[in-house]
Amino acid sequence: MPIWIGERLVLLFPHEDPSSAYGRPYLIIDPGGKFGTGTHPTTRICLSILEGILREEQSVLDIGTGTGILAIYAGTRAAREVVAIDLDFEACKVCRRNIMQNGLDQKVRLINGRVEALSDRRLFDIVVANLEANTLTVVLPALRARAQPDGFIVISGVPAVAQSEFLSLLEKASLKVVSSVILDQWAGFLLGT
């Protein structure tokens, strides 16, 4: 059964007929067991934020990509270049399959490893990370280091009850909160650099 996300997006499983998206943009996602279908509130938060800021010819870095939903979405929305990174080898196998099923193998580059695995020091217009709060805390410096000076950082994975504490952490990291979203007890943030 198709999963409707936000204003415009439909998620389909590989066995589903694309006509079930009723003409709306769709992604074909195989969750690969433990890596998610895109229905989790934190993923939906990131997708809704990306929907509002993605523009043509932008570059996007997705850290902790999992099944690749956020990277694939960016690729279908005319981002110039998308790099997806994940530490988990099995997640990368699932992500690679999803990239291929969506016809984005020439646009979305997948890396199995840490952010440091990027061989160059290039910066991205948008850096996105949908990770657990503890992991976000650790990778905040890397997120900031990879974002353009006038770029955006999109993060989610913070329990809503911990939002105030996390906002203090963002302030200490000199990251400007442009907006925040709460959905089903989870918080996400659009940050400016």
Side-chain angles (χ1 to χ4, degrees):
M1 176 174 235
I3 300 166
W4 299 68
I5 303 280
E7 296 295 317
R8 303 177 41 175
L9 184 65
V10 179
L11 298 180
L12 301 175
F13 293 109
H15 65 276
E16 292 178 314
D17 183 347
S19 68
S20 63
Y22 299 103
R24 288 176 58 166
Y26 64 88
L27 306 181
I28 301 170
I29 300 295
D30 177 354
K34 64 178 183 172
F35 302 109
T37 60
T39 59
H40 193 275
T42 60
T43 307
R44 289 170 38 215
I45 287 169
C46 288
L47 286 168
S48 70
I49 293 172
L50 285 172
E51 186 174 42
I53 63 170
L54 266 171
R55 303 289 178 264
E56 287 187 18
E57 295 304 307
Q58 289 178 317
S59 57
V60 178
L61 173 63
D62 179 13
I63 298 173
T65 195
T67 55
I69 292 170
L70 302 176
I72 291 166
Y73 177 68
T76 61
R77 286 289 309 276
R80 177 184 78 248
E81 167 195 31
V82 182
V83 176
I85 298 178
D86 204 292
L87 282 171
D88 189 306
F89 178 74
E90 290 303 315
C92 285
K93 282 179 24 182
V94 171
C95 183
R96 168 73 56 215
R97 242 186 349 259
N98 288 330
I99 289 168
M100 301 289 280
Q101 286 183 100
N102 286 278
L104 294 171
D105 48 309
Q106 299 299 311
K107 190 182 240 183
V108 179
R109 190 175 94 170
L110 178 63
I111 298 172
N112 181 205
R114 299 182 182 280
V115 180
E116 296 78 22
L118 281 170
S119 57
D120 54 31
R121 299 304 311 159
R122 115 183 90 134
L123 304 178
F124 294 82
D125 297 305
I126 299 172
V127 178
V128 61
N130 180 21
L131 302 166
E132 293 179 358
N134 292 340
T135 305
L136 281 173
T137 302
V138 172
V139 301
L140 272 177
L143 301 179
R144 184 185 175 98
R146 286 298 181 160
Q148 291 277 10
D150 58 348
F152 290 110
I153 299 171
V154 178
I155 59 174
S156 191
V158 178
V161 295
Q163 181 180 11
S164 297
E165 180 183 331
F166 201 80
L167 284 169
S168 297
L169 183 70
L170 294 173
E171 187 178 327
K172 287 178 188 169
S174 299
L175 288 164
K176 175 180 65 178
V177 177
V178 176
S179 64
S180 62
V181 178
I182 303 280
L183 180 64
D184 296 339
Q185 310 304 314
W186 292 95
F189 305 92
L190 173 59
L191 309 173
T193 54

